[in-house]
Amino acid sequence: MISRLSLAAVAAFTLAGAAVAQDPPAPAGTEPGPEAAKPERACFFNRDVRGFAAPDDKTLYLRVRSKDVYRLDLKGRCPDLDWETQIGLDSRGSSSICAPIDVQVRVRGPIGVTRCPVSAITRLTPEEAAALPRKSQP
């Protein structure tokens, strides 16, 4: 016996499949090339962070291992981030950080601990890391 929920699910999947099947093929010569490929997913472990710099209260640069630099863009202001000499990274699930949802920045201020959500994580190239102003280098 099939329940209404199952029939609705089958209908939804059928319609979704039909919509995908009706997409027109890309015009010749417009296939995505290697430059249009998805960026490599850059992950690091919480335990590998060796230093940080916060040029303002919305941006955090992390030195991971000895040579990698990551930029964490925060969803909003993170009070006292650019004044602190110690921060914490609360990672969810495991100590592996691959996406903004995997981590929150923890900052201790004069009124207690603030947890700041992350909106983006970007692994900088060696050239980008070297070009950072001195205040921003972790």
Side-chain angles (χ1 to χ4, degrees), residues 44-134:
F44 61 94
F45 288 101
N46 199 342
R47 67 178 175 264
D48 291 335
V49 175
R50 300 291 181 249
F52 77 95
D56 56 47
D57 58 3
K58 294 181 181 180
T59 310
L60 181 65
Y61 292 98
L62 300 175
R63 169 80 52 195
V64 178
R65 294 174 290 282
S66 61
K67 62 179 180 168
D68 295 331
V69 176
Y70 288 80
R71 176 185 171 133
L72 277 62
D73 296 307
L74 306 179
K75 287 189 177 181
R77 288 189 63 246
C78 190
D80 300 312
L81 177 64
D82 51 346
W83 293 97
E84 280 301 309
T85 58
Q86 293 182 339
I87 61 166
L89 297 177
D90 289 337
S91 53
R92 298 180 188 195
S94 73
S95 64
S96 177
I97 299 169
C98 298
I101 196 158
D102 294 337
V103 66
Q104 284 190 339
V105 178
R106 190 178 63 236
V107 179
R108 183 178 307 259
I111 58 170
V113 175
T114 303
R115 285 179 172 71
C116 305
V118 175
S119 63
I121 299 175
T122 307
R123 182 178 180 179
L124 275 57
T125 65
E127 294 79 20
E128 291 171 328
L132 289 174
R134 184 168 173 82

Side-chain angles (χ1 to χ4, degrees), residues 29-40:
T30 60
E31 293 81 22
E35 66 278 352
K38 278 186 153 181
E40 177 185 328

